[in-house]
Amino acid sequence: MRTKLKILAVACLMPLSMKLAAQQKTPAKVWSQEKAKTWYAQNQWLVGADFIPSTAINQLEMWQADTFDPKTIDTELGYAQGIGMNVMRVFLHHLAWQQDPEGFKKRMDQYLAISSKHGIKTMFVFFDDCWNKVPKTGKQPEPKPGIHNSGWMQDPGQPASEEMANSPVLQKYVKDVLTRFKADKRVLLWDLYNEPGNSGKGNKSLPLLKNTFKWAKEVDPSQPVSAGLWDWNLEDLNRFQAANSDVITYHDYSPVADHLKTVQFLKITGRPLICTEYMARPRNSTFATVLPMLKKENVGAINWGFVTGKTNTIYAWDTPMPDGSQPKLWFHDIFHKDGTPYKSEETDLIKSLTGRGK
């Protein structure tokens, strides 16, 4: 609790930090609370999922030209539209951009055309400290049976995230993509860095995190920028993220009573809240318990997992099943590949809360 209060105390001092930033002639400053609230009010209640097509094992397989799969993307975003989802959080990867910058942006545009057709806005993620340490372009590994996210890749990697903190390549990547889509109304928000400090990195991720915010603010997109709070022990990272995000995004896989406490703490910032990861059934973070609370509190709700596929996220983080058998209870994911719900009572609830069931 004390850690949360420290973070929030810093966040509440944001007007002072904004004044100091202005004196230092930074290219753009953090949005005011009023601007953030106005932006949030212009959107309907945000509900969706972290999305990757079932045919991709990781971000590279999703975005590389040879394996980009618009047909599956179209089909599966149709499932999302059918239950009233209106936003998807989608991970990019700098190596796919580096291979072919123009082609990469064209594929992003193609994705956005498909998602927009289904009434879905997109939250793009630039960097990520989770899972496999050394991403490589080309053919991606096959899934390891029963292993959660066996082929997911960090971006830029480990120890690359430390060595490349000042990388001209990463700076060019962030600015190129942001410049291309900075006024695109199909893009809801830029999530600059997923779970900075994960994989044991801690504060080693802080230089790249700071630079990514700096690069983004130099472009000054029309959409807000953020980086989600996810581990209350990472005090330095959390302070920076809370003080520099236009809207507050966060992850919480706890049961509803604890999750509600997190929401109540974060509301002290005076900024809109979007939960960009939740829902792990065996941990009692479920649609039935958490989603109604998030709607009541007017907090955006983006769960991890959508259609079961090559990421193997029906399996728990820490409970591998190497024989590939079905777990008794899916960890994440909502749909089978054919669009059949894993639990129809869950999709009925989502439809009810989004108004799709009317």
Side-chain angles (χ1 to χ4, degrees):
M1 182 178 294
R2 284 181 295 178
T3 303
K4 289 185 181 182
L5 290 173
K6 288 179 184 177
I7 297 163
L8 296 170
V10 172
C12 290
L13 291 175
M14 289 170 73
L16 175 59
S17 66
M18 290 164 55
K19 181 179 179 181
L20 293 173
Q23 292 173 351
Q24 295 167 2
K25 299 182 180 180
T26 52
K29 57 187 178 182
V30 179
W31 284 11
S32 67
Q33 293 178 358
E34 292 71 23
K35 182 176 181 179
K37 289 177 180 178
T38 298
W39 168 85
Y40 193 70
Q42 291 170 350
N43 296 284
Q44 56 186 312
W45 178 52
L46 298 169
V47 59
D50 287 85
F51 178 77
I52 184 168
S54 61
T55 50
I57 193 170
N58 61 27
Q59 316 93 304
L60 286 165
E61 193 162 40
M62 178 175 180
W63 290 110
Q64 289 183 143
D66 290 347
T67 46
F68 184 66
D69 187 358
K71 182 178 179 180
T72 298
I73 291 169
D74 188 21
T75 297
E76 295 179 356
L77 291 184
Y79 303 159
Q81 181 182 22
I83 58 174
M85 287 185 165
N86 54 33
V87 62
M88 290 284 164
R89 181 172 179 248
V90 180
F91 287 68
L92 306 172
H93 205 288
H94 91 278
L95 289 179
W97 170 86
Q98 194 172 9
Q99 274 184 318
D100 176 17
E102 292 307 312
F104 179 81
K105 288 179 288 183
K106 287 179 181 177
R107 289 187 288 279
M108 286 182 65
D109 187 72
Q110 189 174 356
Y111 174 88
L112 289 169
I114 296 168
S115 65
S116 181
K117 180 183 77 171
H118 291 291
I120 293 170
K121 290 191 175 184
T122 301
M123 178 185 300
F124 283 121
V125 184
F126 277 109
F127 298 123
D128 186 5
D129 275 352
C130 295
W131 303 107
N132 292 287
K133 298 179 180 181
V134 185
K136 295 180 181 179
T137 56
K139 181 175 172 54
Q140 297 302 297
E142 292 301 314
K144 295 178 182 177
I147 308 297
H148 179 106
N149 260 332
S150 66
W152 194 268
M153 297 296 171
Q154 295 182 25
D155 188 8
Q158 192 171 0
S161 56
E162 303 159 43
E163 298 168 348
M164 299 173 69
N166 299 297
S167 167
V169 171
L170 297 185
Q171 180 178 1
K172 187 175 181 182
Y173 161 59
V174 171
K175 289 187 171 183
D176 185 35
V177 170
L178 282 174
T179 299
R180 170 64 179 81
F181 297 101
K182 65 181 290 185
D184 197 317
K185 296 185 183 301
R186 300 170 299 180
V187 178
L188 177 75
L189 179 149
W190 299 98
D191 190 342
L192 300 182
Y193 204 137
N194 180 63
E195 299 198 351
N198 206 332
S199 303
K201 295 181 180 182
N203 281 352
K204 292 179 181 179
S205 295
L206 192 53
L208 178 57
L209 177 70
K210 288 182 175 180
N211 273 341
T212 307
F213 270 93
K214 176 177 178 287
W215 300 332
K217 285 300 183 180
E218 286 172 350
V219 175
D220 192 19
S222 62
Q223 310 94 340
V225 301
S226 186
L229 305 166
W230 70 280
D231 183 343
W232 300 114
N233 295 308
L234 299 174
E235 295 186 28
D236 294 337
L237 288 161
N238 287 331
R239 287 192 188 98
F240 183 84
Q241 289 164 245
N244 288 276
S245 292
D246 296 322
V247 301
I248 300 298
T249 58
Y250 72 95
H251 299 173
D252 196 314
Y253 288 100
S254 63
V256 66
D258 290 334
H259 193 151
L260 176 58
K261 291 177 183 177
T262 297
V263 169
Q264 292 167 336
F265 274 115
L266 291 176
K267 282 190 174 183
I268 297 173
T269 65
R271 293 179 177 274
L273 306 181
I274 304 173
C275 179
T276 51
E277 289 189 27
Y278 77 100
M279 211 292 286
R281 294 180 185 91
R283 300 170 70 94
N284 203 24
S285 174
T286 67
F287 289 117
T289 57
V290 174
L291 192 58
M293 179 275 290
L294 293 177
K295 182 172 185 180
K296 180 180 179 182
E297 298 295 328
N298 194 27
V299 176
I302 300 175
N303 69 278
W304 190 276
F306 191 61
V307 176
T308 182
K310 294 177 77 172
T311 59
N312 278 348
T313 50
I314 64 173
Y315 301 99
W317 304 313
D318 54 359
T319 311
M321 300 180 67
D323 63 357
S325 59
Q326 286 275 315
K328 291 181 179 179
L329 185 64
W330 281 14
F331 197 67
H332 299 312
D333 298 347
I334 302 172
F335 289 102
H336 295 275
K337 289 184 181 181
D338 65 359
T340 304
Y342 170 59
K343 290 189 173 187
S344 59
E345 60 266 32
E346 292 180 341
T347 51
D348 288 345
L349 173 65
I350 295 169
K351 286 192 284 187
S352 173
L353 292 173
T354 60
R356 191 70 180 182
K358 293 180 180 179

